[in-house]
Amino acid sequence: MDYVCALDAGTTGVRAIAVNHSGRAFAQRYREFTQHFPRPGRVEHDASEITSAILTVTAELIAELGSPPLAFGITNQRETIVAWDRDSGEPLHRAIVWQDRRGAERCERLRVDHHELIRTATGLVPDPYFSATKLEWLFTTGGVTPDGTVAVGTIDTWLLWCLTGGACHATEPSNASRTMLFDIRAMEWSPELCDLFGIPRHVLPEVLPTSGRFGVTRGVRGIPDGIPISGIAGDQQAALFGQTCFAPGMAKNTYGTGSFVLMNAGAEMPGVTDGLLTTVAWQLGRDEPVYAVEGSIFSTGSAVQWLRDGLGIIDAADELEGLAASCDDTDGVVVVPAFTGLGAPWWDPSARGTIVGLTRGSGRAQLARAVVDAMVFQTRDVIDAMVEATGRPLGELRVDGGAAVMDLLCRSQADQLSTPVVRAADVETTALGAAFLAGLAEGFWDAPETIAELVGDGTRFEPAGAPDDEAFARWHRAVQRSRDFA
């Protein structure tokens, strides 16, 4: 049986997923790993436990299918950083996770002194979300000495090192571009930024194309030697590729705990735009890199969890759509789910969750509908900013993630954008992207266009009415109130 195996190293668990020549995920194994919270604002993972989990699920999948894959692709939680000893292969500290905020004070100073350098070189904003301040902390406070035996990298780099028996210390541009150390125009580690954060160049991995052979498996339990590892991408860029957004102007939104909207910006790096991030989407072999514009929305699924666990309005997440659809609109109620501040395009950490427009007639259904509307309006805010930044009209929005199962959400999103919304037929778009990147490098598929034809369209929602501009204006008034709260 010919297949490509995607190794999906997420924030709370790992998957090994088999993808056949038709572009379908047909078998998978999953395992969670431990979350460590040593003190408020700090989040860590045991990198060795992640490796063990990956090896376990991969060996189980290979045993189940009776044959090894033709190639491996890797996709991973972005920004999380690992440091290890090259000689022993052992981590020198727990991995510091993308959610970790220990670099917050450092980033406040960076916004004052080095904002333009970071913004211009990396397309990012100074924020502890990214890897640089985590790595700086490891070297200044975490007890790691950056001598000649130390290697560092994001989770993809760590897994690649482990799977190749220490033969390959490398990453690729989509992950490198999330470290706040990588110059996305020059496509190399920035000497200025490395100096700013005190990161010696010798500890950083080589940056290779996203789709291309990185190395082969060697000396790992349960996995045969010699299997190529030929595609790597950060999870959101992998989802963009898995949604076959290969042409400039194509965009996807993943409605997860938060939402991540990415638009393919083409081979020419777009200008830096307030409220949005510019990142590398991928690089196929020796081709020029493809850039993406990204907007991160902090609260989507977490707002549904709040309705369930905080307010007790629903007993299970799958009850939301029925309750929200039981009323025609919110009767003026607006929920701004700024529980941890607002992300794109506002980037306002001081904003707080807000409910406005309540009357004695407001009830469970209106609040549920307002939470769905918040998902829709936040996405429109980001898409409007992207269209303005790139000068490219949006042809359609491709969607995936847990909340995307709601027809009500997809129909409302299409109406609000005046653009078709297409829900993926296969929800494992992140893993599919990693598999496609690896398969292209090894000739399993001959071109991205072939993959797009194989995948085809999912469920399509055409706009059925004009955008509700009055409700959208009311949303913006509520957003302003949430920002004025502090």
Side-chain angles (χ1 to χ4, degrees):
M1 177 188 302
D2 289 342
Y3 68 97
V4 175
C5 182
L7 305 180
D8 183 353
T11 304
T12 59
V14 299
R15 285 181 172 85
I17 302 178
V19 178
N20 62 23
H21 197 267
S22 297
R24 295 287 183 265
F26 67 93
Q28 67 171 288
R29 301 301 289 255
Y30 175 76
R31 176 166 294 206
E32 293 185 353
F33 55 83
T34 309
Q35 308 293 302
H36 298 275
F37 305 98
R39 65 177 67 174
R42 296 192 177 184
V43 188
E44 298 177 349
H45 291 157
D46 182 335
S48 294
E49 186 183 1
I50 294 175
T51 302
S52 178
I54 279 283
L55 295 181
T56 297
V57 296
T58 304
E60 289 175 351
L61 184 68
I62 291 173
E64 175 188 339
L65 298 179
S67 62
L70 296 180
F72 285 115
I74 296 173
T75 184
N76 56 286
Q77 52 164 310
R78 305 177 300 175
E79 298 93 20
T80 297
I81 200 74
V82 187
W84 67 94
D85 185 273
R86 294 176 187 270
D87 295 334
S88 68
E90 293 298 316
L92 298 169
H93 192 279
R94 283 181 185 156
I96 303 179
V97 180
W98 61 273
Q99 299 159 311
D100 190 282
R101 305 296 292 177
R102 74 187 69 191
E105 289 186 10
R106 170 65 162 141
C107 286
E108 288 295 334
R109 297 193 299 273
L110 291 169
R111 290 186 190 103
V112 174
D113 299 328
H114 301 287
H115 183 273
E116 285 307 311
L117 168 62
I118 292 170
R119 196 79 170 105
T120 302
T122 69
L124 308 177
V125 294
D127 196 278
Y129 175 38
F130 306 111
S131 311
T133 55
K134 306 179 197 302
L135 188 53
E136 181 182 48
W137 183 93
L138 284 174
F139 290 157
T140 59
T141 309
V144 178
T145 303
D147 57 27
T149 67
V150 172
V152 303
T154 41
I155 292 294
D156 59 304
T157 301
W158 165 246
L159 291 178
L160 181 63
W161 172 278
C162 295
L163 289 167
T164 60
C168 188
H169 181 213
T171 187
E172 52 73 51
S174 78
N175 275 294
S177 68
R178 310 298 294 189
T179 61
M180 215 159 65
L181 295 169
F182 189 71
D183 187 326
I184 62 174
R185 194 182 303 276
M187 294 294 286
E188 62 184 22
W189 299 113
S190 165
E192 288 179 283
L193 290 172
C194 286
D195 288 346
L196 174 63
F197 292 103
I199 313 300
R201 175 63 186 85
H202 67 80
V203 305
L204 294 169
E206 180 182 7
V207 182
L208 301 174
T210 308
S211 179
R213 186 174 291 193
F214 291 82
V216 297
T217 55
R218 187 174 71 182
V220 288
R221 61 177 172 80
I223 301 175
D225 288 352
I227 301 174
I229 302 165
S230 302
I232 298 175
D235 53 7
Q236 298 307 319
Q237 290 97 326
L240 188 71
F241 203 85
Q243 285 273 31
T244 67
C245 294
F246 300 144
M250 296 183 72
K252 70 90 188 174
N253 188 15
T254 299
Y255 300 89
T257 302
S259 288
F260 294 89
V261 187
L262 269 73
M263 176 183 284
N264 184 324
E268 185 174 341
M269 179 181 163
V272 172
T273 302
D274 286 344
L276 299 175
L277 305 177
T278 303
T279 193
V280 181
W282 54 73
Q283 183 180 21
L284 306 183
R286 297 179 180 177
D287 293 351
E288 292 296 313
V290 171
Y291 293 95
V293 180
E294 177 172 337
S296 303
I297 297 167
F298 292 162
S299 181
T300 299
S302 60
V304 180
Q305 293 170 340
W306 168 69
L307 287 179
R308 183 193 65 196
D309 303 333
L311 299 185
I313 284 176
I314 54 176
D315 293 324
D318 59 10
E319 297 175 10
L320 175 63
E321 181 173 21
L323 181 59
S326 68
C327 59
D328 292 333
D329 56 46
T330 68
D331 290 334
V333 176
V334 181
V335 173
V336 181
F339 304 122
T340 55
L342 287 169
W346 314 106
W347 287 102
D348 186 346
S350 66
R352 288 296 175 262
T354 305
I355 305 174
V356 299
L358 292 173
T359 69
R360 283 293 301 272
S362 304
R364 297 168 59 246
Q366 285 75 26
L367 281 172
R369 184 65 176 254
V371 165
V372 174
D373 283 355
M375 300 179 195
V376 171
F377 292 145
Q378 287 181 106
T379 300
R380 177 176 169 180
D381 282 335
V382 171
I383 291 292
D384 286 351
M386 286 182 171
V387 171
E388 182 178 356
T390 63
R392 299 182 184 277
L394 180 68
E396 64 184 24
L397 179 66
R398 301 189 173 189
V399 301
D400 55 75
V405 301
M406 292 190 289
D407 288 355
L408 173 64
L409 171 66
C410 294
R411 287 195 301 267
S412 298
Q413 193 72 80
D415 288 346
Q416 200 62 36
L417 293 174
S418 296
T419 303
V421 167
V422 181
R423 183 168 59 207
D426 191 329
V427 297
E428 299 291 353
T429 57
T430 301
L432 286 176
F436 294 158
L437 289 163
L440 283 170
E442 297 299 329
F444 193 57
W445 297 285
D446 59 7
E449 294 75 16
T450 301
I451 294 171
E453 291 175 3
L454 288 171
V455 171
D457 284 340
T459 305
R460 192 174 185 87
F461 298 85
E462 296 287 347
D468 189 341
D469 290 329
E470 182 179 345
F472 192 50
R474 190 162 54 241
W475 158 259
H476 280 156
R477 291 195 295 272
V479 166
Q480 189 56 53
R481 292 190 183 188
S482 81
R483 301 181 70 192
D484 290 341
F485 183 81

